[in-house]
Amino acid sequence: MTNRFMCCLTVATTLLTTAILSGQITPKKLPAQRTNKHVTIDGKLNEAAWQDAAKADEYVEFRPVIGRKESYENRTESFLMYDDQGIYFGGTCYERSIDSIAKELAGRDGFGMNDYIGLIFDTYNDKLNGFEYFVTPLGEQWDAKMTSNQNSNNGGEDFSWNAVWKSAVVIHEKGWSFEMFLPYSAIRFSKDKVQDWGLNITRRRRKTEQQYTWNAIDPNVNGFLTQEGTWTGITDIKPPLRLQLSPYFSVYGNHFPANLPGQNNWTSQVSGGLDLKLGLNQAFTLDATLIPDFGQVQSDNQVLNLTPFEVKFNENRAFFTEGTELFGKGNLVYSRRIGGRPINLHKAYENVDSNEKILSNPNESKLINASKISGRTKNGLGIGVLNAITRAQFATIENLETKSTRQIETDPLTNYNILVLDQTLKNNSSVSFINTNVLRGSGNYNANVSSGLFSFFDKKNTYNLSGGAALSNLTHKGPEGRNIMGYQHTLHFGKNSGLFTFNYNQELADTKFNSNDLGYFTNNNYINHYLQVGYRYTEPKGWYNRLFLNFNSHYSSLFAPIGGLESTYQNSRVQVNINAQTKKLMWFGLMLNYRPHEHDFYEPRREGYLFRRGNSVTIGGWVETNQAKKYSVVMELFERKFFNFYDANGLDIFFGQTYRFSSKFSINYRLGINPRPKNVGFTSILADQSILFALRKVNTIDNVLNLKYNFTNKMGLTFRLRHYVSTVENKSFFTLNPNGSLNPTDKITQNFDRNVNYFNIDMVYTWQFAPGSFLNAVWKNATFYGADSPRDGYFENLSNTLDADQNNNLSLKVIYFLDYLQLKGKKKGKE
């Protein structure tokens, strides 16, 4: 490359960067080109149709160097066109050599350390909602729904949403070429005769962490979709009839060594069902699951919970994760409530006589069916409705003398319903309404929560005012029934664009607000204030590519005093952070946190008491090496020191490492160690009703090993092993005073030590034998070991856990994808 060309490129890059940072870039427009020529999706782009397609090139870098044009050797050429059936996207990602291409078989939506190119459509051109379709050099697909989010420059991406489309990739001496075909059934759009869609295309090179877009993006400006270009003049395309069926057939075999007379150690189950997608019109889709089967979902990460609040688990059921971005608004929905623990699970134990025993008490309610309707009109009104029904659950109790049995209802027949209305407005703004409703039979209480939300941006998309208010209503049935109504609100104001940003948030809930029946809820009765101030350096300089400085603070108090206590103060903190990416593509961060004394009103487990913690300081940091290397490491180390009479302290250590042997095989290992040599907390409520606390030694180790081998981009094997151990060794005991102080006591003779072990294996073979069709074979192993000897070493605990009774589950599930349009086309072809 000549010096003259380099000089011109430098000048052009400088002018482009200045224009981007000053907001003077005019969004690009790409004319829509229709084709009537045949295209074979093989990644080669050798058909005549591509000669007539609109060309999208001259990509612009936005990370790490904002506004820099692609170099000629690593340029991107892409082409876009459409016909009556769908959209064709193809092109070439040039590279100096094949070795420059980062590629790994990671599974669908598996990311991995891959280069990629992605097509982003905003079909309603509202700059708030989009569809993304990505392909990697080894031909793996990703897709997602994108929504604008005032708290994230890149918006929110829901990769659990999946569509069925075609793609192919070819790697060659100049780089890699790709072709994608998106049938109109894989996207949502209006039926207007002529349409303009928001459009952007993004490419990422993982070995250099360079990311480019066709329409320039400034990461200092809030929103990804707000900086899109336009695909203009799309004419005479019609939303097709969208009817897709996914029938399934599954076989389960389960072994647990109960070794009891009349009880078989082996059990089996054969079942079948159906998932359905039906396009109600051009915008709205009905998703339904009939006789659902969630037996193959990943095992939960069970832990020893020493807190007063419920553990929140991840949702692994595809129906409740796929395409649910509307239902997440307002943070009122925790879908694990649907088919979760029966509300009267422990009622059975309270009704067992001395001559009886519990034969069975299911800890999950069974889902009968579930359905959801979601979509958005061309006027920007998003509508989401989700409904699910769980059957009544019963505990079975046996009389030891007569052998007769009786049943106690632990969960009634229950209907769960969610309604969301979300109206987009100009300037990237929106207003929303959310309602969650739980209706129960058998005289149990019903629950309803309604919330209104708003988010307003100024014309320059710099400042945001947002918030919402919610009302909860618990309706207790019967002659003494009563309604309990509660109130909650949030308020936010912030600056989200530019190098300097800030955000202020307030949260308030009265003493009666309760969203627990369909949401994750820990406590009400609070007024919280948050302040965050940040400055970011996004232009590479000196030793760094990006540098972020952050100060944040928090203050929390009760909305109203509890149990006659005068104090309403809960806790507060001030914290500073620094995070940076170096020129070697390594990330690191440092954190310093100070907390004044705290009043914990929930640790005592009884109203009218609080626990007073002393001042504390937390210091720590983390480092992550270049993830594109064959071997990469991530490490975290944080220590918190309390200043009080027992000088409590705690350490959090995390170490992870990944080694990729090839593009097919990799190993990932994660180790978490949380030693608490001096920890103080609730232990029990004694017979005289005094609250017992203990100074204790708590050690927790969490080991996770992941193995992945992908045979092809359609077939893979994963192995996940987890061993979790947590021990509690009580050193001395105290009784708690209402004002939060502790009185030593030496009258405790009961052993409150704990030793808890969970061991799980999830081994999954997946084969996508046709588009949207899968065969899954799964082996799951689960073991629990508990004891009151916390002095056992880690390997002794592991050995005892492996010697304990193990539950082994083997399953085979086949899901076959049927598309009405494809079946109709095949029928016509035969005629």
Side-chain angles (χ1 to χ4, degrees):
M1 189 178 293
T2 66
N3 291 333
R4 181 179 177 183
F5 181 84
M6 286 293 295
C7 180
C8 291
L9 180 61
T10 302
V11 172
T13 298
T14 302
L15 292 174
L16 183 60
T17 303
T18 303
I20 290 176
L21 295 178
S22 61
Q24 297 175 0
I25 285 292
T26 301
K28 287 184 178 180
K29 293 184 179 181
L30 188 72
Q33 299 290 340
R34 177 184 282 274
T35 185
N36 56 9
K37 300 175 181 177
H38 175 74
V39 176
T40 300
I41 304 300
D42 56 10
K44 297 180 181 179
L45 282 86
N46 52 8
E47 294 89 357
W50 291 111
Q51 302 300 319
D52 303 324
K55 184 177 182 180
D57 57 0
E58 296 184 352
Y59 285 49
V60 180
E61 187 174 326
F62 75 89
R63 186 179 295 139
V65 179
I66 303 173
R68 181 168 63 183
K69 289 188 176 182
E70 288 183 303
S71 65
Y72 181 80
E73 295 90 343
N74 299 316
R75 69 192 185 279
T76 308
E77 292 181 351
S78 56
F79 304 89
L80 194 62
M81 58 186 177
Y82 69 102
D83 62 14
D84 288 338
Q85 281 70 48
I87 300 164
Y88 298 86
F89 177 54
T92 300
C93 298
Y94 288 91
E95 289 285 352
R96 289 190 180 94
S97 67
I98 294 179
D99 293 339
S100 300
I101 303 171
K103 53 189 183 295
E104 176 187 9
L105 288 173
R108 200 182 200 281
D109 294 332
F111 302 100
M113 288 300 112
N114 277 298
D115 289 354
Y116 62 74
I117 191 163
L119 182 65
I120 304 165
F121 283 130
D122 174 6
T123 56
Y124 293 100
N125 217 1
D126 61 9
K127 303 187 184 304
L128 285 170
N129 302 277
F131 299 89
E132 301 178 303
Y133 307 88
F134 300 86
V135 68
T136 74
L138 293 177
E140 291 186 323
Q141 296 179 349
W142 312 340
D143 44 24
K145 280 187 176 181
M146 174 181 273
T147 57
S148 288
N149 182 341
Q150 66 268 20
N151 297 319
S152 172
N153 285 343
N154 291 330
E157 292 176 296
D158 177 14
F159 280 97
S160 65
W161 177 80
N162 289 315
V164 177
W165 46 282
K166 296 180 180 179
S167 65
V169 174
V170 174
I171 296 177
H172 46 76
E173 69 278 2
K174 294 182 180 180
W176 56 286
S177 299
F178 64 93
E179 288 181 313
M180 295 164 54
F181 172 67
L182 308 177
Y184 291 130
S185 59
I187 201 166
R188 310 290 178 264
F189 55 93
S190 74
K191 57 182 179 181
D192 293 347
K193 182 177 178 59
V194 181
Q195 303 180 39
D196 293 341
W197 291 1
L199 168 69
N200 216 339
I201 307 167
T202 182
R203 176 188 175 187
R204 187 172 185 177
R205 303 177 66 235
R206 292 306 299 260
K207 290 187 177 180
T208 62
E209 284 298 4
Q210 290 173 289
Q211 191 160 355
Y212 308 89
T213 52
W214 168 69
N215 195 76
I217 293 289
D218 180 1
N220 297 316
V221 174
N222 179 63
F224 196 96
L225 293 174
T226 59
Q227 303 179 69
E228 63 194 10
T230 310
W231 195 29
T232 62
I234 311 162
T235 306
D236 290 331
I237 63 171
K238 298 179 181 179
L241 172 63
R242 290 180 285 112
L243 175 58
Q244 299 169 344
L245 304 175
S246 297
Y248 79 84
F249 173 78
S250 62
V251 180
Y252 289 86
N254 195 85
H255 177 268
F256 181 76
N259 299 324
L260 296 174
Q263 184 171 338
N264 197 334
N265 292 344
W266 278 97
T267 58
S268 61
Q269 176 184 337
V270 178
S271 63
L274 176 71
D275 290 342
L276 175 147
K277 286 183 180 290
L278 173 63
L280 302 178
N281 59 20
Q282 70 271 17
F284 292 95
T285 303
L286 167 68
D287 291 84
T289 178
L290 308 175
I291 318 178
D293 174 18
F294 301 123
Q296 290 191 334
V297 299
Q298 181 180 299
S299 304
D300 286 328
N301 288 336
Q302 299 282 351
V303 298
L304 172 62
N305 184 15
L306 298 176
T307 76
F309 303 120
E310 171 191 13
V311 175
K312 186 177 183 180
F313 292 112
N314 293 332
E315 176 60 270
N316 295 317
R317 299 172 296 178
F319 179 84
F320 294 107
T321 60
E322 181 181 328
T324 56
E325 72 284 348
L326 276 173
F327 303 104
K329 289 185 175 293
N331 199 29
L332 294 176
V333 176
Y334 175 43
S335 56
R336 289 294 296 262
R337 292 280 180 256
I338 302 173
R341 175 171 293 188
I343 60 171
N344 296 314
L345 179 69
H346 299 290
K347 180 180 178 181
Y349 302 98
E350 300 170 359
N351 289 272
V352 178
D353 295 332
S354 58
N355 63 336
E356 293 179 321
K357 71 174 183 179
I358 294 180
L359 288 182
S360 64
N361 188 15
N363 58 10
E364 288 185 354
S365 296
K366 301 301 181 184
L367 188 65
I368 299 175
N369 58 56
S371 60
K372 59 191 177 193
I373 297 173
S374 61
R376 190 174 297 273
T377 70
K378 67 177 182 179
N379 295 320
L381 177 61
I383 301 175
V385 179
L386 188 150
N387 189 268
I389 301 174
T390 57
R391 69 176 75 243
Q393 293 296 315
F394 298 88
T396 302
I397 299 176
E398 180 186 58
N399 187 294
L400 297 175
E401 299 172 355
T402 65
K403 302 301 179 181
S404 61
T405 60
R406 61 186 179 93
Q407 290 188 322
I408 294 178
E409 185 180 80
T410 58
D411 207 32
L413 178 72
T414 306
N415 183 86
Y416 298 88
N417 191 78
I418 307 167
L419 169 66
V420 182
L421 303 174
D422 178 58
Q423 178 63 59
T424 61
L425 304 172
K426 65 179 182 179
N427 299 329
N428 200 31
S429 302
S430 64
V431 293
S432 309
F433 172 79
I434 303 97
N435 176 264
T436 67
N437 188 271
V438 181
L439 296 176
R440 296 185 173 95
S442 305
N444 287 268
Y445 74 94
N446 298 328
N448 186 284
V449 181
S450 296
S451 176
L453 304 173
F454 66 90
S455 178
F456 301 134
F457 282 91
D458 66 329
K459 290 183 178 180
K460 293 185 178 180
N461 195 33
T462 299
Y463 294 94
N464 174 258
L465 176 66
S466 60
L471 293 174
S472 67
N473 185 24
L474 303 184
T475 304
H476 294 263
K477 304 173 185 178
E480 299 181 359
R482 66 192 189 281
N483 290 353
I484 302 176
M485 295 194 67
Y487 170 80
Q488 183 260 352
H489 80 235
T490 60
L491 185 64
H492 165 271
F493 178 71
K495 178 179 181 289
N496 297 339
S497 293
L499 300 179
F500 171 75
T501 62
F502 69 86
N503 288 280
Y504 168 75
N505 295 274
Q506 186 208 61
E507 300 174 348
L508 181 149
D510 68 10
T511 58
K512 297 180 180 179
F513 181 78
N514 190 328
S515 61
N516 193 56
D517 292 270
L518 197 42
Y520 179 76
F521 175 86
T522 55
N523 63 281
N524 51 28
N525 190 19
Y526 57 78
I527 304 177
N528 296 333
H529 301 270
Y530 303 90
L531 176 65
Q532 179 269 331
V533 179
Y535 195 88
R536 51 194 178 191
Y537 299 85
T538 53
E539 283 291 316
K541 292 182 180 178
W543 56 270
Y544 65 85
N545 278 338
R546 285 176 279 171
L547 177 65
F548 302 91
L549 305 177
N550 178 274
F551 167 85
N552 62 79
S553 62
H554 163 70
Y555 183 90
S556 177
S557 62
L558 297 178
F559 174 79
I562 295 178
L565 295 173
E566 294 183 1
S567 175
T568 59
Y569 166 76
Q570 295 197 92
N571 55 67
S572 58
R573 74 156 191 271
V574 291
Q575 180 173 309
V576 291
N577 300 77
I578 176 173
N579 297 292
Q581 184 192 47
T582 71
K583 292 292 180 64
K584 298 291 186 181
L585 305 183
M586 180 181 76
W587 281 95
F588 74 89
L590 299 171
M591 184 268 282
L592 177 64
N593 175 295
Y594 172 72
R595 292 175 179 261
H597 74 276
E598 302 177 19
H599 289 170
D600 191 333
F601 296 90
Y602 303 98
E603 183 70 11
R605 274 71 158 182
R606 178 183 292 171
E607 191 172 291
Y609 286 78
L610 64 85
F611 173 52
R612 181 184 173 97
R613 292 188 176 91
N615 303 350
S616 68
V617 172
T618 303
I619 187 169
W622 62 276
V623 63
E624 179 182 281
T625 64
N626 185 351
Q627 299 292 294
K629 300 288 187 181
K630 274 185 170 293
Y631 178 71
S632 59
V633 173
V634 57
M635 292 181 288
E636 298 177 8
L637 178 64
F638 295 91
E639 181 170 20
R640 186 179 183 186
K641 175 69 174 178
F642 286 90
F643 301 96
N644 45 32
F645 74 93
Y646 40 77
D647 293 328
N649 65 335
L651 194 63
D652 291 333
I653 303 171
F654 176 81
F655 175 74
Q657 54 185 332
T658 300
Y659 190 83
R660 293 192 305 277
F661 292 89
S662 67
S663 62
K664 294 183 176 182
F665 180 45
S666 65
I667 295 179
N668 173 271
Y669 173 66
R670 295 288 187 263
L671 171 64
I673 304 176
N674 307 114
R676 303 283 189 271
K678 291 185 177 180
N679 175 269
V680 177
F682 172 86
T683 299
S684 181
I685 295 180
L686 302 177
D688 62 0
Q689 298 304 301
S690 59
I691 300 173
L692 184 67
F693 272 55
L695 174 62
R696 59 204 182 187
K697 177 182 179 182
V698 182
N699 283 326
T700 301
I701 299 176
D702 194 0
N703 264 300
V704 180
L705 174 67
N706 289 286
L707 307 179
K708 174 184 64 66
Y709 189 90
N710 283 345
F711 303 93
T712 69
N713 59 8
K714 298 290 191 301
M715 182 190 300
L717 182 69
T718 62
F719 176 90
R720 182 180 189 268
L721 181 151
R722 176 179 184 256
H723 176 225
Y724 168 93
V725 56
S726 187
T727 60
V728 179
E729 182 181 356
N730 295 290
K731 300 294 187 178
S732 55
F733 294 98
F734 309 86
T735 55
L736 179 68
N737 298 317
N739 66 359
S741 60
L742 298 173
N743 292 330
T745 178
D746 57 1
K747 298 180 180 179
I748 306 302
T749 57
Q750 185 176 348
N751 184 4
F752 289 104
D753 293 345
R754 305 284 298 276
N755 185 339
V756 171
N757 290 258
Y758 293 101
F759 182 89
N760 291 94
I761 291 175
D762 293 83
M763 187 172 180
V764 181
Y765 168 81
T766 299
W767 174 32
Q768 183 179 348
F769 57 88
S773 302
F774 295 87
L775 182 149
N776 298 324
V778 178
W779 168 45
K780 299 174 72 172
N781 173 283
T783 309
F784 170 78
Y785 168 73
D788 57 6
S789 175
R791 296 175 183 83
D792 292 344
Y794 175 81
F795 291 101
E796 185 177 356
N797 269 305
L798 177 60
S799 176
N800 291 334
T801 303
L802 295 177
D803 289 339
D805 293 337
Q806 300 183 17
N807 188 83
N808 282 278
N809 183 281
L810 296 171
S811 62
L812 180 69
K813 184 175 183 179
V814 179
I815 307 169
Y816 194 79
F817 176 78
L818 299 170
D819 187 287
Y820 168 78
L821 294 178
Q822 292 181 1
L823 294 175
K824 183 179 178 181
K826 290 180 180 179
K827 184 177 179 181
K828 284 185 176 181
K830 291 179 180 180
E831 294 174 351

